[in-house]
Amino acid sequence: MDATVAPPATRPGRSLHSNPALTTRRGTRPRPWGPAASGQANAVRCELSRRPEPRLVLRAAADAQQGGGGGEAAGAGRRKRLAVFVSGGGSNFRAIHEAALGGEVHGDVVVLVTDKPGCGGAEHARSNDIPVVVFPKLKNAPEGVSVPELLDTLREHQVDIVLLAGYLKLIPAELIREYPRSILNIHPSLLPAFGGKGYYGLKVHKAVIASGARYSGPTVHFVDEHYDTGKTLAQRVVPVFADDTPELLAARVLHEEHQVYVEAVAALCEDRILWREDGVPLIQSRLNPDVYL
Ligand SMILES: Nc1nc2c(c(=O)[nH]1)N[C@@H](CN(C=O)c1ccc(C(=O)N[C@@H](CCC(=O)O)C(=O)O)cc1)CN2
Ligand SMILES: NCC(=O)N[C@@H]1O[C@H](COP(=O)([O-])[O-])[C@@H](O)[C@H]1O
């Protein structure tokens, strides 16, 4: 499918989602977020600035000669088979698993991969009869599999989509090639800021606070050969407060992670990811196919 979408002016009757340029209204002093506010549901008052929509030339993943979601209409197609990679507690894994069981995600977690077989994510998998595979093979995890063995295991489970959820090892290029435009990661900062080697867990939030940034939030991105350099698919924004600790900020970001990752995974499972001409992936709204997020 190659849908060229012209600006609204020439397309009466259909409106595209305007990219909101969040600006405070002239003369309005931005109000503080959250607890510092006067108890109202405060946010910076914004107005949508309607700019002429850029011409969107969109292609479904299949049409872009890539793997990943096919070209079926949104919501069509069989349930996707998911592999989730974790290294820690696995709260994002659990959010995705619960969304799959509850019907929000049109897929099923069929295998859990971890470098830490005793971690919370692996425990959750075992208690839900989801097979656990250890990767990579390490001194303290001799039961780990090699890259070819991992690929064979994912094929045996007929995995369609790979989801990294707090996994702390570099995904090898062989896996990237096997699953083009079908591997997602959740990172706890607004990439490209505060990403790359050494940026994981509380280290990310410590760096954000030390930088003086006033906003942070999670990024869902496609995975390429390097840490955190793949194409951004979705983000959420949270405030950073003056008295924040890394733990407080981590909890605020994690809450948003659980929602934005489930939304992104749901879109990938329903083939609602379209690729803009310049290579940026967009989520097609489930409610209105003319809206791209
Ligand atoms: N090929 C890719 N592999 C992985 C990606 C990716 O984008 N491409 N994302 C990471 C997840 N991640 C950030 O989101 C990330 C994880 C770990 C590190 C890191 O510096 N790791 C340390 C080792 C830490 C440990 O073993 O305890 C390191 O490599 O020295 C950075 C970013 C998952 N894989
Ligand atoms: N750079 C990778 C990274 O820092 N990932 C982060 O690890 C945490 C895992 O939590 P979870 O195990 O509860 O999902 C999450 O905050 C995730 O964004």
Side-chain angles (χ1 to χ4, degrees):
M1 174 185 82
D2 179 348
T4 300
V5 183
T10 60
R11 303 178 69 253
R14 295 187 68 180
S15 66
L16 261 185
H17 175 61
S18 294
N19 300 331
L22 298 182
T23 56
T24 58
R25 284 192 313 152
R26 194 177 309 284
T28 310
R29 184 173 54 83
R31 298 190 190 134
W33 287 73
S38 54
Q40 305 162 29
N42 278 291
V44 171
R45 288 184 61 79
C46 307
E47 59 189 9
L48 295 184
S49 70
R50 293 195 173 282
R51 291 176 282 121
E53 280 301 320
R55 177 177 291 277
L56 289 179
V57 177
L58 306 171
R59 286 180 177 77
D63 290 346
Q65 279 81 47
Q66 296 286 341
E72 300 93 352
R78 61 176 173 76
R79 292 177 69 83
K80 297 303 190 293
R81 298 173 63 84
L82 313 174
V84 183
F85 286 49
V86 302
S87 293
S91 70
N92 276 286
F93 161 43
R94 279 183 271 122
I96 291 163
H97 185 220
E98 284 155 21
L101 296 177
E104 188 177 353
V105 163
H106 192 55
D108 299 294
V109 180
V110 298
V111 62
L112 189 284
V113 180
T114 184
D115 60 318
K116 302 228 175 28
C119 72
E123 288 306 316
H124 178 77
R126 283 189 275 267
S127 61
N128 285 275
D129 299 323
I130 297 172
V132 175
V133 173
V134 179
F135 175 79
K137 188 188 290 286
L138 296 169
K139 284 193 293 295
N140 62 345
E143 70 273 34
V145 300
S146 65
V147 173
E149 289 166 334
L150 174 66
L151 291 176
D152 286 345
T153 301
L154 297 179
R155 291 178 192 127
E156 284 159 17
H157 286 284
Q158 297 178 298
V159 167
D160 300 301
I161 294 169
V162 173
L163 304 173
L164 312 186
Y167 187 67
L168 300 183
K169 299 298 185 187
L170 190 68
I171 297 295
E174 295 89 334
L175 190 58
I176 310 285
R177 285 194 291 272
E178 181 86 2
Y179 287 94
R181 294 188 168 179
S182 299
I183 308 178
L184 292 178
N185 179 51
I186 181 95
H187 180 79
S189 77
L190 296 173
L191 291 174
F194 308 107
K197 188 175 176 68
Y199 284 98
Y200 56 93
L202 285 179
K203 294 170 186 277
V204 175
H205 306 294
K206 284 175 183 166
V208 168
I209 291 168
S211 77
R214 271 22 179 214
Y215 296 98
S216 189
T219 299
V220 180
H221 65 92
F222 283 93
V223 168
D224 64 15
E225 283 80 2
H226 311 288
Y227 281 138
D228 305 328
T229 56
K231 290 292 186 182
T232 290
L233 178 62
Q235 293 184 314
R236 287 271 181 101
V237 176
V238 301
V240 181
F241 296 120
D243 57 353
D244 259 339
T245 63
E247 291 76 11
L248 284 172
L249 179 56
R252 195 173 309 125
V253 171
L254 191 62
H255 177 76
E256 297 301 320
E257 290 184 36
H258 296 159
Q259 298 176 37
V260 70
Y261 209 5
V262 166
E263 289 171 7
V265 172
L268 191 54
C269 289
E270 294 172 25
D271 304 318
R272 285 189 286 112
I273 306 294
L274 292 102
W275 293 80
R276 208 168 60 192
E277 197 175 17
D278 58 359
V280 170
L282 304 173
I283 293 178
Q284 187 177 38
S285 164
R286 184 187 277 158
L287 300 176
N288 179 346
D290 283 341
V291 170
Y292 299 89
L293 309 169

